[in-house]
Amino acid sequence: MRIVLFGRDGKVGSVLGPRLSEAGHEVTGVEVGEEVELAGHGAAVDFTAPAAVLGNVRRALEADVPCVIGTTGLPDGGVEEIDGLARERGLPSFLAPNFAIGAVLMMRFAEEASRFMPDAEIVELHHETKLDAPSGTAAATAARMAGEVPIHSVRLPGLVAHQEVILGAAGQYLTIRHDTTSREAFVPGVLLALERLPDLPPGLTVGLDALL
Ligand code: NAP
């Protein structure tokens, strides 16, 4: 498939681009300020920044190119806007706050555990250049759990992406932890989303769970 990759030189994009090519895709990488002809591509993949993603996705959908979105921290109303635009154009699109299978399982297990242990807090830890806090994964995890789950965000050099869900009860606590040690972790999820994109309904499908 011909794929536009917004954020080609970023921490994720620079790992993802070569892996998409290895998987047989023809990749057009795009960085800030670069203009490319979007029409004719089979999909656009976006790993950029909260301030950039909506503009990229709008331009792609207007060129009839469906989107796979990894960028987190979308502005308020962004998800609804993408969903509306994709429906208007009759195109599928897909967004996942986390493309790593281990993180998806962590969210599932946290949802299940919170049915039995409702007192819980989340600690999410990321590299110091991450722009949004709390992380999209932490917000999505909390939304699936019982009650209000406080989220604590740590930003430090040396970290990639890590999350602990700590559930407490009298005399015990349960920790569910996921660690991303390399951006390779996101590659299989993005490849799966690209493979399944043509089968998705018009509008925005959210979360890797929907594809598993
Ligand atoms: P990063 O290292 O800052 O990379 C972002 C790249 O996008 C940079 O090269 C940036 O260029 C470029 N960019 C900014 N605006 C652009 C535009 N309008 N068009 C094309 N390229 C543009 O960030 P990252 O760590 O790769 O993460 C990117 C995003 O993905 C973040 O929102 C992060 O939270 C998210 N993420 C999601 C997942 C997931 O599984 N869903 C996993 C990891 C990361 P400049 O540096 O010149 O601005």
Side-chain angles (χ1 to χ4, degrees):
M1 193 193 294
R2 290 184 68 210
I3 294 173
V4 177
L5 175 59
F6 291 110
R8 176 194 65 217
D9 297 341
K11 286 185 283 299
V12 176
S14 57
V15 172
L16 188 57
R19 302 286 269 108
L20 292 176
S21 302
E22 275 168 41
H25 296 296
E26 190 186 318
V27 180
T28 310
V30 184
E31 262 300 317
V32 186
E34 293 177 5
E35 290 294 324
V36 293
E37 178 59 56
L38 297 174
H41 287 85
V45 176
D46 191 289
F47 279 87
T48 58
V53 55
L54 281 184
N56 292 339
V57 169
R58 263 188 226 118
R59 285 200 304 120
L61 290 174
E62 280 162 9
D64 286 326
V65 178
C67 296
V68 171
I69 302 152
T71 303
T72 57
L74 268 64
D76 284 348
V79 168
E80 293 76 11
E81 183 185 330
I82 295 170
D83 182 48
L85 191 53
R87 280 171 198 271
E88 231 172 73
R89 309 292 301 188
L91 293 171
S93 281
F94 179 80
L95 177 152
N98 204 313
F99 278 93
I101 181 68
V104 174
L105 293 173
M106 169 190 63
M107 288 189 254
R108 260 194 205 178
F109 299 155
E111 179 180 356
E112 173 72 2
S114 87
R115 292 174 50 218
F116 303 97
M117 299 177 76
D119 292 321
E121 303 208 3
I122 294 174
V123 184
E124 57 95 343
L125 312 92
H126 284 82
H127 55 92
E128 81 286 15
T129 58
K130 184 170 175 61
L131 293 177
D132 53 319
S135 73
T137 303
T141 310
R144 290 172 61 164
M145 296 173 66
E148 286 292 308
V149 180
I151 302 172
H152 310 274
S153 300
V154 178
R155 298 287 176 267
L156 286 173
L159 297 170
V160 180
H162 318 261
Q163 178 168 305
E164 275 190 10
V165 182
I166 308 166
L167 304 106
Q172 61 182 317
Y173 69 93
L174 168 67
T175 304
I176 302 169
R177 180 173 173 116
H178 178 254
D179 294 280
T180 308
T181 54
S182 145
R183 272 99 189 166
E184 285 288 334
F186 307 119
V187 173
V190 175
L191 287 171
L192 177 68
L194 287 167
E195 186 189 316
R196 299 286 300 280
L197 200 55
D199 305 325
L200 295 178
L204 186 66
T205 300
V206 178
L208 208 55
D209 256 331
L211 307 184
L212 297 175

